Amino acid sequence: MTYCLYDARGYVGDLASVHGLELISDFATRVTNEPQIKKFFQEGQAPITKELIAGFKAIHSSDKNIADTIDNLVNLLVKCDTVAIISDGTGIESPDLTIHRGTHEIGGSCVELCSNSGNTRLIIDIGMPLVNADRSLFDWGAHRKSTMSELRSEKILPAVDGLYENDKPTITAVLLSHAHLDHYGFLQFVHPDIPIYMSMGTKALTEVSNTFLNTGVKLDRVKTFEMWQTFRINEFAVTPYLMDHSAPDATAFLIEADGQRIFYTGDFRGHGRKGILLDKLTKDPPSRVNYLVMEGSMLGRDEGLFPDENSVEQALYDLIVSQKGLCYVFTSSQNLDRLVSIYRATRRSGKTLVIDLYTAFVLDKLGVISHSIPQFGWEGIRVLYSYYHAQKLADLDRALLYKYKSAKIEFEEIRDNTDNMVLLAKDSRYFRNVITKLTAYSKALAVFSMWHGYLERGNLGEFLESNGIPITEIHTSGHAYIGQLQMLADALKPRWIIPIHTFYPEKFKEMFPNVIQLDDNETISLC
Ligand SMILES: [Zn+2]
């Protein structure tokens, strides 16, 4: 059995085996009269005083084992707050961690932390799966009409007692890391009395999805947090960290409970427009993280041709500036980094970016997080109105239709200026119609600026080909490369690493010596 050193905030480091502990205890109490050292070994704990550390430093042994063990002890003691405790872990309070879904898959993330007292239960992320149990694609459309008990019995909703609308609520709060459906897609089923914490950007995008996708989430109980500002939820202290990801305002959480410090990364990377956030986090990491729950989406995936968002912007520019005729760019309107890259590449080439009404609304809502997000009123941005989007906005607030009108562009203006236009496009019936009509007037090319897997799933490629439109893929991943995962783990120096959000959790063990690989719904005590 290994003994460890703890302090008031939890685990500090490994100390010695039972045998090693007896050895230094016997030796130290024999050769010194320092009362703090006697207290430390006799009672298993002592306040951290200069005398304790100075007393150990004054002890010299010719036995290398004893000398090394004392050195190690001194190195740990200097890191301790107020009280140092020698323990094998028994009697130390420990919260429980359960990953309800996500130990062996990307998507459907749902993590629970329960305090030692059992009085506080937090859920972090409540995502919709991307795949079924057999790894075939998950199709929400096939389940949309199911009742909540059907969804629970079919194991589509994670098995969490006290979370859902038809339960007595015993979950204290839900925390969301970011607005991707695989992290928040089942929010609509959460009991309306349970508060939900998220960043302002995540809230803005959740509201947009409510408007356009009728997600039915009740957002009146949402509490927004400020990045790097610690807040308390009963026994838990939560510190949100802004992370670089393809969703804006994505958050990692440092959660302290019962003296344990858990860092949940959410989805992150270090090669987007906010890549500097990963550098900052690794240069000035939170101290003494006991458990790192880290995403591993890129394990088993190709890193692709474009290493970062800057190279994406450059490739887009090279293509757009040399294009005679229309340029369609297919991307997600909620990938803010990519929208900025497309806008910058378009402006540098002196052309105009045409966005749809939905994208204009997304950018407008995200204005709450930054003034440097391109907006409908900016030079070189025009807005294309579709009946469907206009109807959705009018249902929410008729004034929104007029808000964006100054930037409105008609089909004829695009048709007559095809050499100077870049159209942000979606694979929808509306856009297929627009593209088919414009094909009669201009040659065109298409850029697919999303994960390659999405292109394989539909028949967009065939549709474009039938219209004589060549397609080029320009994309960089929203997720951390293996080197970036290692960089974060090296900086945080957690006692244990727990894989999540990966199809290959076993690969973590090839990269790190201290991995706990869990199964879905398995509960461990963090101590
Ligand atoms: Zn994500």
Side-chain angles (χ1 to χ4, degrees), residues 178 180 182-183 245 267 479:
H178 64 286
H180 276 159
D182 62 329
H183 290 258
H245 183 45
D267 290 355
H479 298 279

Side-chain angles (χ1 to χ4, degrees), residues 37 148 187 240 400 502:
I37 290 184
M148 201 181 305
L187 198 56
L400 286 168
T502 177

